[in-house]
């Protein structure tokens, strides 16, 4: 069974947001990495890029296919997880510890439209 | 339409395979993981369910003359037991399919075709029998097929199955009895490694799969790594490097198109291309970065689209991001700088050989 952590916000497209103050750490869920299999490349935006809720901001690639990363919230990229450039497999090892981008949130009200852990776990079961 | 299942479908489910549609069948894509399975075939031995492949028996007094008419390779004078790779072409030179021809007897040939093309190929073959005393019989449902591939394949087949195969030369086969059943075994495959393909009745194929998997010496391998393996050694896949719009000359398969034969369907078109009329061809491209080129992505030069990726991966054996691509002939020379557009950004690359990893056949 895939892990689902309490206290995070989840999107239907299997990204999560971990909020710390005015910042959000965005990554893909454990369920998503299980579905993808071996992650071999992460296409990430650059610092200072704007991301918009509902739009692509990059891609996570398994051996077989590329899956778009969809921003669960809007904001400005303040940091990308450069460790993933050389070790994309970290996402398979621990998807929640290995976030992909850190953004300065435009509007924390956007978080209200995302799922909590219980709702997301149910979403994965469905 | 509901997908077909091979005789091994229940085994795949029991092994926890990820199953996806391929060529009209629900097929296992991976079991333990594509990278793990890929490496098993490169270093030891893997077993694939390839029962989805189609088998068509062509027989009759004119069987050889008929195969010569629809097939690009030259089978004249072939001994029984020999196998030829080649293509069936449209008059335009585009590919109906690529296939293997097994010479079973002087007047009988087994044609092994791609699963996705079975209906189309059989119809094509039947449309072109006029003037030939020949019978075209689609026997695809009658055969299951296993591919045992890797440097240890010969030992595994002989020791685990007790099926002698070391005397078989590359691209030859024998019909024999094994485990009380008539079977066919050939030294062929689609991985760039030594290996064998075993054809038999579905019940026999299930028993044989079970023996191989239970031995622990042949790792169950899915179509995911079958694709990464064939890609690394530059083998084409129909639908990617070959299609009704891509000729074998464009795909670099001229060796298997014998235009010195007086007649076969598509000959005029491919002869013109062989004689200098080639406007595009399939090349290899190696990228400098790690971004992964995928089927359908644009290939660009000087801001213009000059081609399209046919298959691309981060090579499991070498770690490099590489692809095959169909590009305009002006950009096809080895060493030509090209760019591939991946997720909206252009990534630098250079034209290389299509073979990204050396084949390891035992000939």
């Amino acid at each position: 069974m895939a892990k689902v952590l309490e206290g995070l916000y989840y999107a239907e497209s299997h990204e999560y947001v971990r909020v710390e103050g005015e910042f959000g750490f965005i990554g893909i869920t454990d369920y998503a990495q299980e579905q993808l299999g071996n992650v071999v490349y992460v296409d990430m935006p650059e610092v200072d890029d704007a991301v918009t809720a509902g739009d692509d901001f990059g891609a996570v690639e398994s051996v077989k296919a590329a899956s778009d990363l969809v921003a669960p919230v809007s904001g400005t990229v303040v940091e990308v997880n450069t460790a993933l450039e050389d070790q994309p497999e970290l996402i398979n090892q621990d998807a929640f510890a290995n976030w992909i981008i850190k953004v300065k949130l435009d509007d924390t009200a956007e978080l209200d439209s995302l799922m909590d852990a219980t709702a997301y776990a149910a979403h994965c079961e469905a | 339409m509901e997908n077909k299942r091979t005789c091994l479908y229940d085994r795949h489910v029991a092994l926890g395979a990820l199953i996806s549609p391929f060529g009209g069948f629900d097929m296992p894509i991976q079991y333990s993981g594509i990278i793990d399975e890929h490496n098993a075939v490169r270093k030891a031995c893997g077993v694939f369910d390839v029962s989805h492949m189609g088998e068509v028996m062509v027989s009759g007094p004119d069987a050889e003359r008929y195969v010569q008419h629809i097939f690009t390779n030259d089978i004249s004078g072939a001994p029984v037991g020999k196998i030829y790779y080649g293509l069936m072409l449209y008059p335009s030179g585009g590919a109906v399919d690529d296939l293997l021809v097994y010479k079973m007897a002087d007047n009988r040939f087994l044609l092994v075709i791609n699963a996705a093309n079975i209906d189309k190929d059989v119809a094509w073959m039947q449309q072109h029998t006029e003037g030939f005393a020949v019978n075209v019989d689609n026997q695809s449902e009658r055969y299951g097929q296993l591919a045992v591939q890797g440097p240890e394949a010969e030992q595994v087949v002989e020791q685990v199955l007790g099926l002698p195969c070391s005397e078989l030369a590359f691209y030859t086969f024998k019909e024999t009895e094994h485990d009380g059943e008539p079977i066919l075994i050939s030294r062929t495959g689609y991985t760039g490694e030594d290996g064998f393909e075993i054809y038999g009745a579905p019940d026999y194929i299930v028993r044989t799969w079970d023996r191989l998997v239970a031995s622990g010496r042949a790792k169950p391998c899915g179509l995911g790594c079958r694709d990464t393996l064939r890609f690394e050694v530059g083998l084409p896949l129909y639908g990617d490097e070959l299609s009704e719009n891509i000729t074998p000359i464009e795909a670099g398969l001229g060796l298997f198109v014998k235009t010195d034969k007086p007649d076969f369907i598509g000959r005029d078109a491919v002869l013109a291309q062989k004689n200098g009329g080639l406007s595009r061809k399939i090349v290899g491209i190696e990228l400098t970065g790690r971004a992964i080129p995928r089927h359908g992505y644009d290939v660009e030069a000087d801001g213009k689209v000059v081609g399209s990726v046919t298959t691309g991966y981060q090579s499991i054996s070498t770690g490099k991001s590489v692809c095959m691509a169909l590009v305009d002939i002006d950009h096809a020379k080895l060493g030509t700088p090209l760019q591939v557009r991946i997720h909206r950004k252009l990534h630098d690359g250079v034209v290389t050989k299509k073979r990204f990893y050396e084949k390891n056949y035992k000939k």
Side-chain angles (χ1 to χ4, degrees), chain A residues 15 27-29 32-45 56-70 84-93 100, chain B residues 30 34-35 228 287 289-297 309 311-316 319-323 340-345 347:
Chain A
E15 291 85 7
I28 64 165
T29 65
Q33 72 77 22
E34 271 188 13
Q35 296 295 309
L36 281 167
N38 302 117
V39 174
V40 295
Y41 181 71
V42 186
D43 179 67
M44 294 182 283
D56 302 353
F57 70 87
V60 179
E61 306 211 21
S62 67
V63 175
K64 198 78 198 135
S67 300
D68 286 337
L69 288 163
V70 179
L84 298 175
E85 288 171 4
D86 289 324
Q87 292 179 283
E89 66 274 14
L90 290 171
I91 289 187
N92 293 120
Q93 289 164 19
I100 296 168
Chain B
Q30 61 177 66
I34 293 176
I35 295 174
T228 56
L287 298 186
R290 290 187 65 152
I292 305 170
R294 306 279 185 187
H295 179 94
Y297 289 6
V309 173
T311 308
Y313 284 109
Q314 184 184 98
S315 166
I316 294 171
K320 290 179 176 160
S321 281
V322 285
C323 64
V340 181
R341 189 171 288 281
I342 303 173
H343 310 309
R344 301 184 198 93
K345 279 178 271 181
H347 292 263

Side-chain angles (χ1 to χ4, degrees), chain B residues 35-53:
Chain B
I35 295 174
D36 184 49
E37 293 164 30
H38 178 108
N39 289 330
V41 174
R42 286 273 181 259
K43 296 185 181 114
C45 181
V47 58
F48 299 80
D49 175 17
V50 287
S51 302
H52 60 310
M53 300 295 287

Side-chain angles (χ1 to χ4, degrees), chain A residues 89-110:
Chain A
E89 66 274 14
L90 290 171
I91 289 187
N92 293 120
Q93 289 164 19
D94 190 340
F96 291 117
N98 293 283
W99 50 271
I100 296 168
I101 55 171
K102 178 182 176 183
V103 299
K104 184 168 188 300
L105 300 169
D106 282 352
D107 179 3
T108 51
E110 282 181 347

Side-chain angles (χ1 to χ4, degrees), chain B residues 58-59 79 81 90 101 121 129 174 210 229 243 268 286 288 316 327:
Chain B
V58 172
S59 58
Y90 294 106
V101 170
D121 288 3
T129 54
K174 65 179 178 184
D210 285 346
L229 289 159
S243 74
D268 293 347
E286 185 179 313
T288 45
I316 294 171
V327 302

